[in-house]
Amino acid sequence: MRLAGLHDGEWMIPDAQGRKYSYDKENEAFKELPEYGEGATVWTREVYRALFITRSVDGWQQVPNPRG
């Protein structure tokens, strides 16, 4: 039996102190963004998951805030 990897997106907010917070959906990340203060940004990456392994395709990329 062969297990196929799951293709998915991952979202992260690193705050000004260097702490990182993970989210499963883009709208969740942008909803929480104001709570982390000035300097916090939203980043995303495409990942493949298989068993207990997560691999990134292109690494983290910053996402512009849709609210400006």
Side-chain angles (χ1 to χ4, degrees):
M1 182 174 164
R2 184 174 164 205
L3 294 175
L6 299 174
H7 180 248
D8 204 1
E10 190 171 65
W11 303 87
M12 169 186 66
I13 298 177
D15 66 10
Q17 289 77 34
R19 292 180 294 238
K20 298 175 182 174
Y21 304 90
S22 296
Y23 296 91
D24 294 325
K25 299 190 184 298
E26 178 182 18
N27 61 341
E28 291 175 344
F30 280 110
K31 181 180 173 186
E32 298 292 324
L33 183 61
E35 294 186 24
Y36 295 107
E38 193 170 330
T41 54
V42 174
W43 293 70
T44 188
R45 68 180 179 173
E46 292 295 317
V47 294
Y48 289 91
R49 292 183 171 97
L51 296 176
F52 299 104
I53 299 171
T54 300
R55 296 280 183 222
S56 176
V57 177
D58 295 321
W60 290 102
Q61 298 176 1
Q62 189 171 359
V63 180
N65 191 337
R67 298 180 214 163

Coordinates of all heavy atoms in Angstrom, one line a residue:
M1 N 0.8 -1.2 0.0 CA 0.0 0.0 0.0 C 0.9 1.2 0.0 O 1.8 1.4 0.8 CB -0.9 0.0 1.2 CG -1.8 1.1 1.3 SD -2.9 0.9 2.7 CE -3.6 2.5 2.9
R2 N 0.6 2.2 -0.9 CA 1.4 3.4 -1.0 C 0.6 4.6 -0.4 O -0.5 4.8 -0.8 CB 1.7 3.6 -2.5 CG 2.6 4.7 -2.7 CD 3.0 4.8 -4.2 NE 3.5 6.1 -4.4 CZ 3.5 6.7 -5.6 NH1 3.0 6.1 -6.6 NH2 4.0 7.9 -5.8
L3 N 1.3 5.4 0.4 CA 0.6 6.5 1.0 C 1.0 7.8 0.2 O 2.2 8.0 -0.1 CB 1.1 6.7 2.4 CG 0.6 5.7 3.4 CD1 1.3 5.9 4.8 CD2 -0.9 5.6 3.5
A4 N 0.0 8.5 -0.3 CA 0.3 9.7 -1.0 C 0.4 10.9 0.0 O -0.2 10.9 1.0 CB -0.9 10.0 -1.9
G5 N 1.4 11.8 -0.3 CA 1.6 13.0 0.5 C 0.4 14.0 0.3 O -0.2 14.0 -0.8
L6 N 0.1 14.7 1.3 CA -0.9 15.7 1.3 C -0.3 17.1 1.0 O 0.7 17.5 1.7 CB -1.7 15.8 2.6 CG -2.4 14.5 3.0 CD1 -3.0 14.7 4.4 CD2 -3.5 14.2 2.1
H7 N -0.8 17.8 0.0 CA -0.3 19.1 -0.3 C -1.2 20.1 0.4 O -2.4 20.0 0.4 CB -0.5 19.3 -1.9 CG 0.0 20.6 -2.3 ND1 -0.9 21.5 -2.8 CD2 1.2 21.2 -2.4 CE1 -0.3 22.6 -3.2 NE2 1.0 22.4 -2.9
D8 N -0.5 21.0 1.1 CA -1.3 21.9 1.9 C -0.5 23.3 2.1 O 0.6 23.4 1.7 CB -1.4 21.3 3.3 CG -2.6 21.8 4.1 OD1 -3.4 22.7 3.6 OD2 -2.8 21.3 5.2
G9 N -1.2 24.3 2.6 CA -0.6 25.5 2.9 C -0.4 25.7 4.4 O -1.1 25.1 5.2
E10 N 0.6 26.5 4.8 CA 0.8 26.7 6.2 C 1.1 28.2 6.3 O 1.7 28.8 5.5 CB 2.1 25.9 6.5 CG 2.4 25.9 8.0 CD 3.5 24.9 8.3 OE1 4.6 25.1 7.8 OE2 3.2 23.9 8.9
W11 N 0.6 28.8 7.4 CA 0.7 30.3 7.6 C 1.4 30.5 8.9 O 1.2 29.8 9.9 CB -0.7 30.9 7.6 CG -1.4 30.6 6.3 CD1 -2.2 29.5 6.0 CD2 -1.4 31.3 5.2 NE1 -2.6 29.5 4.8 CE2 -2.2 30.7 4.2 CE3 -0.8 32.6 4.8 CZ2 -2.4 31.2 2.9 CZ3 -1.0 33.1 3.5 CH2 -1.8 32.3 2.6
M12 N 2.2 31.6 9.0 CA 2.9 31.9 10.2 C 3.0 33.4 10.4 O 3.0 34.2 9.5 CB 4.4 31.4 10.1 CG 5.3 31.9 11.1 SD 7.0 31.4 10.9 CE 7.4 32.3 9.4
I13 N 3.0 33.8 11.7 CA 3.2 35.2 12.1 C 4.4 35.3 13.0 O 4.3 34.8 14.1 CB 2.0 35.8 12.8 CG1 0.7 35.8 11.9 CG2 2.3 37.3 13.3 CD1 -0.5 36.4 12.6
P14 N 5.5 35.8 12.5 CA 6.6 36.1 13.4 C 6.5 37.5 14.0 O 6.2 38.4 13.3 CB 7.9 36.0 12.5 CG 7.4 36.3 11.2 CD 5.9 36.0 11.1
D15 N 6.5 37.6 15.3 CA 6.3 39.0 15.9 C 7.7 39.7 16.0 O 8.7 39.1 15.7 CB 5.6 38.9 17.2 CG 6.3 38.2 18.3 OD1 7.6 37.9 18.2 OD2 5.7 37.9 19.4
A16 N 7.7 40.9 16.5 CA 8.9 41.7 16.6 C 9.9 41.1 17.6 O 11.1 41.4 17.5 CB 8.5 43.1 17.1
Q17 N 9.5 40.2 18.5 CA 10.4 39.6 19.4 C 11.0 38.3 18.9 O 11.8 37.6 19.6 CB 9.7 39.3 20.8 CG 9.4 40.6 21.6 CD 8.2 41.3 21.1 OE1 7.3 40.7 20.6 NE2 8.3 42.6 21.2
G18 N 10.6 37.9 17.7 CA 11.1 36.7 17.1 C 10.3 35.4 17.4 O 10.6 34.3 16.9
R19 N 9.2 35.5 18.1 CA 8.3 34.4 18.4 C 7.5 34.1 17.1 O 7.1 35.0 16.4 CB 7.4 34.6 19.6 CG 8.2 34.6 20.9 CD 7.3 34.9 22.0 NE 6.7 36.2 21.9 CZ 6.8 37.2 22.8 NH1 7.4 37.0 23.9 NH2 6.3 38.4 22.6
K20 N 7.2 32.8 16.8 CA 6.4 32.5 15.6 C 5.2 31.8 16.0 O 5.2 30.9 16.9 CB 7.3 31.6 14.8 CG 8.5 32.2 14.3 CD 9.4 31.3 13.5 CE 10.7 32.0 13.1 NZ 11.6 31.0 12.4
Y21 N 4.1 32.1 15.4 CA 2.8 31.6 15.7 C 2.2 31.0 14.4 O 2.2 31.6 13.3 CB 1.8 32.6 16.2 CG 2.4 33.3 17.4 CD1 3.2 34.5 17.3 CD2 2.1 32.8 18.7 CE1 3.7 35.1 18.4 CE2 2.7 33.4 19.8 CZ 3.5 34.6 19.6 OH 4.0 35.2 20.7
S22 N 1.8 29.7 14.4 CA 1.3 29.0 13.2 C -0.2 29.0 13.1 O -0.9 28.9 14.1 CB 1.8 27.6 13.3 OG 3.2 27.5 13.2
Y23 N -0.7 29.0 11.8 CA -2.1 29.0 11.5 C -2.3 28.0 10.3 O -1.5 27.9 9.5 CB -2.6 30.4 11.2 CG -2.5 31.3 12.4 CD1 -1.4 32.1 12.6 CD2 -3.5 31.4 13.3 CE1 -1.3 32.9 13.7 CE2 -3.4 32.2 14.4 CZ -2.3 33.0 14.6 OH -2.2 33.8 15.7
D24 N -3.5 27.5 10.3 CA -3.9 26.6 9.2 C -4.5 27.3 8.0 O -4.5 26.8 6.9 CB -4.9 25.5 9.7 CG -4.3 24.6 10.7 OD1 -3.1 24.3 10.6 OD2 -5.0 24.2 11.6
K25 N -5.0 28.5 8.2 CA -5.7 29.2 7.2 C -5.3 30.7 7.1 O -5.0 31.3 8.1 CB -7.2 29.2 7.4 CG -7.8 27.8 7.4 CD -9.3 27.7 7.3 CE -9.8 26.4 7.4 NZ -9.5 25.5 6.3
E26 N -5.3 31.3 5.9 CA -4.9 32.6 5.7 C -5.8 33.6 6.5 O -5.3 34.5 7.2 CB -4.9 33.0 4.2 CG -4.6 34.4 3.9 CD -4.7 34.7 2.4 OE1 -5.3 34.0 1.7 OE2 -4.1 35.7 2.0
N27 N -7.1 33.4 6.4 CA -8.0 34.4 7.1 C -7.8 34.3 8.6 O -7.9 35.4 9.3 CB -9.4 34.1 6.8 CG -9.9 32.7 7.2 OD1 -9.1 31.8 7.4 ND2 -11.2 32.6 7.2
E28 N -7.4 33.2 9.2 CA -7.1 33.1 10.6 C -5.9 34.0 11.0 O -5.8 34.7 12.0 CB -6.8 31.7 11.1 CG -8.0 30.8 11.0 CD -7.6 29.3 11.4 OE1 -6.4 29.0 11.3 OE2 -8.5 28.5 11.6
A29 N -4.9 33.8 10.1 CA -3.6 34.6 10.4 C -3.8 36.1 10.3 O -3.4 36.8 11.2 CB -2.5 34.1 9.4
F30 N -4.5 36.5 9.3 CA -4.8 38.0 9.2 C -5.7 38.5 10.2 O -5.6 39.7 10.7 CB -5.2 38.3 7.8 CG -4.1 38.4 6.8 CD1 -4.0 37.5 5.8 CD2 -3.2 39.4 6.8 CE1 -3.0 37.5 4.9 CE2 -2.1 39.5 6.0 CZ -2.0 38.5 5.0
K31 N -6.6 37.7 10.7 CA -7.5 38.1 11.8 C -6.7 38.3 13.1 O -7.0 39.2 13.8 CB -8.6 37.0 12.0 CG -9.6 37.3 13.1 CD -10.6 36.2 13.2 CE -11.5 36.4 14.4 NZ -12.4 35.3 14.6
E32 N -5.7 37.5 13.3 CA -4.9 37.6 14.6 C -3.8 38.6 14.5 O -3.2 39.0 15.5 CB -4.4 36.2 14.9 CG -5.4 35.2 15.2 CD -6.2 35.4 16.5 OE1 -5.6 35.9 17.4 OE2 -7.4 35.2 16.5
L33 N -3.4 39.0 13.3 CA -2.2 39.8 13.0 C -2.2 41.1 13.9 O -1.1 41.4 14.5 CB -2.1 40.2 11.6 CG -0.9 41.0 11.2 CD1 0.4 40.3 11.5 CD2 -1.0 41.4 9.7
P34 N -3.3 41.9 14.1 CA -3.2 43.1 14.9 C -2.8 42.8 16.4 O -2.3 43.7 17.0 CB -4.6 43.7 14.8 CG -5.2 43.1 13.5 CD -4.6 41.8 13.4
E35 N -3.1 41.6 16.9 CA -2.8 41.3 18.3 C -1.3 41.2 18.5 O -0.9 41.2 19.7 CB -3.5 40.0 18.7 CG -5.0 40.1 18.7 CD -5.7 38.9 19.2 OE1 -5.1 38.2 19.9 OE2 -6.8 38.7 18.8
Y36 N -0.5 41.0 17.5 CA 1.0 40.8 17.7 C 1.8 42.1 17.6 O 3.0 42.1 17.7 CB 1.5 39.7 16.7 CG 0.8 38.4 17.0 CD1 -0.1 37.8 16.2 CD2 1.2 37.7 18.2 CE1 -0.7 36.6 16.5 CE2 0.6 36.5 18.5 CZ -0.3 36.0 17.7 OH -0.9 34.8 18.0
G37 N 1.1 43.2 17.4 CA 1.8 44.5 17.4 C 2.5 44.9 16.1 O 2.6 44.1 15.2
E38 N 3.1 46.0 16.2 CA 3.9 46.6 15.1 C 5.1 45.7 14.8 O 5.7 45.2 15.7 CB 4.3 48.0 15.4 CG 4.8 48.7 14.2 CD 5.0 50.2 14.4 OE1 4.3 50.8 15.3 OE2 5.9 50.8 13.8
G39 N 5.3 45.5 13.5 CA 6.5 44.6 13.1 C 6.1 43.2 12.8 O 6.9 42.5 12.2
A40 N 4.9 42.8 13.2 CA 4.4 41.4 12.9 C 3.9 41.4 11.5 O 3.3 42.3 10.9 CB 3.3 41.0 13.9
T41 N 4.3 40.3 10.8 CA 3.9 40.1 9.4 C 3.4 38.7 9.2 O 3.6 37.8 10.0 CB 5.1 40.3 8.5 OG1 6.2 39.4 8.9 CG2 5.6 41.7 8.5
V42 N 2.7 38.4 8.1 CA 2.2 37.1 7.8 C 3.0 36.5 6.7 O 3.3 37.1 5.7 CB 0.7 37.2 7.3 CG1 0.2 35.8 6.8 CG2 -0.2 37.7 8.4
W43 N 3.4 35.2 6.9 CA 4.2 34.5 5.9 C 3.5 33.2 5.6 O 2.7 32.7 6.4 CB 5.6 34.2 6.5 CG 6.4 35.4 6.7 CD1 6.2 36.3 7.6 CD2 7.6 35.8 6.0 NE1 7.2 37.3 7.5 CE2 8.0 37.0 6.5 CE3 8.3 35.2 4.9 CZ2 9.1 37.6 6.0 CZ3 9.4 35.9 4.4 CH2 9.8 37.1 5.0
T44 N 3.7 32.6 4.4 CA 3.1 31.4 4.0 C 4.1 30.5 3.3 O 5.1 31.0 2.7 CB 1.9 31.6 3.1 OG1 1.2 30.4 2.9 CG2 2.2 32.2 1.7
R45 N 3.8 29.2 3.2 CA 4.6 28.3 2.4 C 3.7 27.1 2.0 O 2.8 26.8 2.7 CB 5.8 27.8 3.1 CG 5.5 26.9 4.3 CD 6.8 26.5 5.0 NE 6.5 25.6 6.2 CZ 7.4 25.0 6.9 NH1 8.7 25.1 6.5 NH2 7.1 24.2 7.9
E46 N 4.0 26.5 0.9 CA 3.3 25.3 0.4 C 4.1 24.1 1.0 O 5.3 24.1 0.9 CB 3.2 25.3 -1.1 CG 2.3 26.3 -1.7 CD 0.9 26.2 -1.3 OE1 0.4 25.0 -1.3 OE2 0.2 27.2 -1.0
V47 N 3.4 23.2 1.6 CA 4.1 22.0 2.1 C 3.4 20.7 1.7 O 2.3 20.7 1.3 CB 4.1 22.1 3.7 CG1 4.9 23.2 4.2 CG2 2.7 22.1 4.2
Y48 N 4.2 19.7 1.7 CA 3.7 18.3 1.5 C 3.9 17.6 2.8 O 5.0 17.6 3.4 CB 4.5 17.7 0.3 CG 4.2 18.2 -1.0 CD1 4.9 19.3 -1.5 CD2 3.1 17.8 -1.7 CE1 4.6 19.8 -2.8 CE2 2.8 18.3 -3.0 CZ 3.5 19.3 -3.5 OH 3.2 19.9 -4.7
R49 N 2.9 16.9 3.2 CA 3.0 16.1 4.5 C 2.8 14.6 4.2 O 1.8 14.3 3.5 CB 1.9 16.6 5.4 CG 2.2 18.0 5.9 CD 1.1 18.4 7.0 NE 1.5 19.6 7.6 CZ 1.0 20.8 7.3 NH1 0.1 20.9 6.3 NH2 1.4 21.9 7.9
A50 N 3.6 13.8 4.7 CA 3.5 12.4 4.6 C 4.0 11.8 5.9 O 5.1 12.1 6.4 CB 4.3 11.8 3.5
L51 N 3.1 11.0 6.5 CA 3.4 10.4 7.8 C 3.7 11.5 8.8 O 2.9 12.4 9.1 CB 4.5 9.3 7.7 CG 4.2 8.1 6.9 CD1 5.4 7.2 6.8 CD2 3.0 7.4 7.4
F52 N 5.0 11.5 9.4 CA 5.3 12.6 10.3 C 6.3 13.6 9.7 O 7.1 14.2 10.5 CB 5.9 11.9 11.6 CG 4.9 11.0 12.3 CD1 5.0 9.7 12.2 CD2 3.8 11.6 13.0 CE1 4.1 8.8 12.8 CE2 2.9 10.8 13.6 CZ 3.0 9.4 13.5
I53 N 6.4 13.7 8.4 CA 7.4 14.5 7.8 C 6.7 15.6 7.0 O 5.7 15.4 6.3 CB 8.2 13.7 6.8 CG1 9.0 12.6 7.5 CG2 9.2 14.6 6.0 CD1 9.6 11.6 6.6
T54 N 7.1 16.9 7.2 CA 6.6 18.0 6.5 C 7.8 18.6 5.6 O 8.8 18.9 6.2 CB 6.1 19.1 7.4 OG1 5.1 18.5 8.2 CG2 5.6 20.3 6.7
R55 N 7.5 18.8 4.3 CA 8.6 19.3 3.4 C 8.0 20.6 2.8 O 6.9 20.5 2.3 CB 9.0 18.3 2.4 CG 9.6 17.1 2.9 CD 11.1 17.4 3.2 NE 11.7 16.1 3.7 CZ 12.5 16.1 4.7 NH1 12.8 17.2 5.3 NH2 13.1 15.0 5.1
S56 N 8.8 21.6 2.7 CA 8.4 22.8 2.0 C 8.9 22.8 0.6 O 9.9 22.3 0.3 CB 9.0 24.0 2.8 OG 8.7 25.2 2.1
V57 N 8.0 23.4 -0.3 CA 8.4 23.4 -1.7 C 9.4 24.6 -2.0 O 10.5 24.4 -2.5 CB 7.1 23.6 -2.6 CG1 7.5 23.7 -4.0 CG2 6.2 22.4 -2.3
D58 N 9.0 25.8 -1.6 CA 9.8 27.0 -1.9 C 10.2 27.8 -0.7 O 10.8 28.9 -0.8 CB 9.0 28.0 -2.8 CG 8.7 27.3 -4.2 OD1 9.6 26.7 -4.7 OD2 7.6 27.6 -4.7
G59 N 9.9 27.3 0.5 CA 10.3 28.1 1.7 C 9.2 29.1 2.0 O 8.2 29.3 1.3
W60 N 9.5 29.9 3.1 CA 8.5 30.9 3.5 C 8.6 32.1 2.6 O 9.6 32.6 2.2 CB 8.9 31.3 4.9 CG 8.6 30.3 6.0 CD1 9.5 29.5 6.6 CD2 7.3 29.9 6.5 NE1 8.9 28.6 7.5 CE2 7.5 28.9 7.4 CE3 6.0 30.3 6.2 CZ2 6.5 28.3 8.1 CZ3 5.0 29.7 6.9 CH2 5.2 28.7 7.9
Q61 N 7.4 32.7 2.3 CA 7.3 33.9 1.5 C 6.3 34.8 2.2 O 5.2 34.4 2.7 CB 6.7 33.6 0.1 CG 7.7 32.7 -0.6 CD 7.1 32.3 -2.0 OE1 6.0 32.7 -2.4 NE2 7.9 31.5 -2.7
Q62 N 6.7 36.1 2.3 CA 5.8 37.1 3.0 C 4.6 37.4 2.2 O 4.7 37.5 1.0 CB 6.6 38.4 3.3 CG 5.8 39.3 4.2 CD 6.7 40.5 4.6 OE1 7.8 40.6 4.3 NE2 6.1 41.4 5.4
V63 N 3.5 37.6 2.8 CA 2.2 37.8 2.2 C 1.8 39.3 2.5 O 1.7 39.7 3.7 CB 1.1 36.9 2.7 CG1 -0.2 37.2 2.0 CG2 1.5 35.4 2.5
P64 N 1.5 40.1 1.4 CA 1.0 41.5 1.7 C -0.4 41.4 2.4 O -1.2 40.6 2.1 CB 0.9 42.1 0.3 CG 1.0 41.0 -0.6 CD 1.6 39.8 0.0
N65 N -0.6 42.4 3.3 CA -1.8 42.4 4.0 C -2.9 42.9 3.1 O -2.8 44.0 2.5 CB -1.7 43.4 5.2 CG -2.8 43.3 6.2 OD1 -3.9 42.9 5.8 ND2 -2.6 43.7 7.4
P66 N -4.0 42.2 2.9 CA -5.1 42.6 2.0 C -5.8 43.9 2.5 O -6.5 44.5 1.7 CB -6.0 41.4 2.0 CG -5.8 40.6 3.2 CD -4.3 40.9 3.6
R67 N -5.7 44.2 3.7 CA -6.3 45.4 4.3 C -5.5 46.6 4.1 O -5.8 47.7 4.6 CB -6.7 45.2 5.7 CG -7.7 44.1 6.0 CD -8.0 43.9 7.4 NE -8.2 42.5 7.7 CZ -8.2 42.0 8.8 NH1 -7.9 42.7 9.9 NH2 -8.4 40.7 9.0
G68 N -4.3 46.5 3.6 CA -3.4 47.6 3.4 C -2.6 47.9 4.5 O -2.0 48.5 5.1

